């Protein structure tokens, strides 16, 4: 079965600094990887995905993620954090032919003013 | 377009009661999913559907049933609620480009 791990429950970063939210994965075959963001009392919103192509994927709100096959990682990054980026972030991997997703446990990002 | 909507937004049940959660989408997507979200556990798949009239079990299906009589609707039923089913429930659909779109969630408390 596919799985993803988010090793950090909480990440704190100062506004204006670069941020990284880590994700590692375990899949059989080619990975389909995703990042989602959840603001308080809201549903998840799609940020970006990697299916094939360039290892650096750009997404919404200035976020990007780097796919690293040798390290089986898909870390989420942003060059300059905003207070409004504070939210819960989930990494996910496609599980099966019905496009089910397996989610990591989530990382709470707090951007300090 | 409303996207993905869920009703109700909140519900409190007593142990043993039943209820149905409704998910509706106007995105014309074939694939639909029900997840539950619990603190520290991410989202876990309960049931899913790959089209009208079809359903399948996910990771945590016990205690739940689903139906997809119309393409735009996906219903999640709890026949006899238990406190362990206290959770936030999310419905989602999947585009042909693989990204999923989520509803706003239903917060269910079982006492």
């Amino acid at each position: 079965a596919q799985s993803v791990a988010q090793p950090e429950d909480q990440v704190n970063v100062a506004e204006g600094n670069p941020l990284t939210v880590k994700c590692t994965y375990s899949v059989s075959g080619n990975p389909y990887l995703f990042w989602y963001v959840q603001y308080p009392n809201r549903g998840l919103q799609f940020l970006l995905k990697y299916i094939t192509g360039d290892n650096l994927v750009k997404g919404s709100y200035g976020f990007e993620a780097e796919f690293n096959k040798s390290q089986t990682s898909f870390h989420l990054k942003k060059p300059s954090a905003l207070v409004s980026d504070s939210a819960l972030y989930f990494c996910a991997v496609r599980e099966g032919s019905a496009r089910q997703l397996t989610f990591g446990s989530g990382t709470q990002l707090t951007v300090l003013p | 377009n409303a996207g993905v909507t869920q009703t109700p937004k909140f519900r409190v049940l007593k142990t043993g009661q039943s209820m149905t959660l409704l998910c509706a989408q106007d995105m014309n997507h074939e694939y639909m999913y029900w997840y539950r979200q619990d603190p520290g556990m991410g989202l876990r798949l309960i049931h899913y559907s790959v089209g009208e009239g079809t359903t399948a079990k996910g990771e945590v299906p016990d205690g739940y049933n689903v139906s997809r009589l119309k393409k735009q609707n996906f219903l999640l039923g709890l026949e006899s609620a238990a406190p362990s089913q206290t959770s936030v429930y999310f419905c989602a659909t999947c585009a042909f480009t693989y990204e999923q779109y989520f509803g706003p969630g239903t917060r269910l408390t079982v006492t």
Side-chain angles (χ1 to χ4, degrees), chain A residues 41-77:
Chain A
N41 301 313
R42 303 286 294 275
L44 278 68
Q45 296 177 31
F46 170 76
L47 275 180
L48 50 78
K49 66 185 177 187
Y50 173 84
I51 295 178
T52 187
D54 290 340
N55 290 343
L56 186 64
V57 178
K58 294 189 183 297
S60 306
Y61 312 121
F63 285 92
E64 57 190 26
E66 186 171 9
F67 171 67
N68 188 316
K69 188 172 183 178
S70 63
Q71 297 186 3
T72 62
S73 66
F74 189 55
H75 300 333
L76 181 70
K77 300 181 179 184

Side-chain angles (χ1 to χ4, degrees), chain A residues 4-19:
Chain A
V4 291
Q6 295 181 242
E8 301 160 318
D9 292 336
Q10 175 82 41
V11 170
N12 296 328
V13 64
E15 188 174 28
N17 283 2
L19 69 87

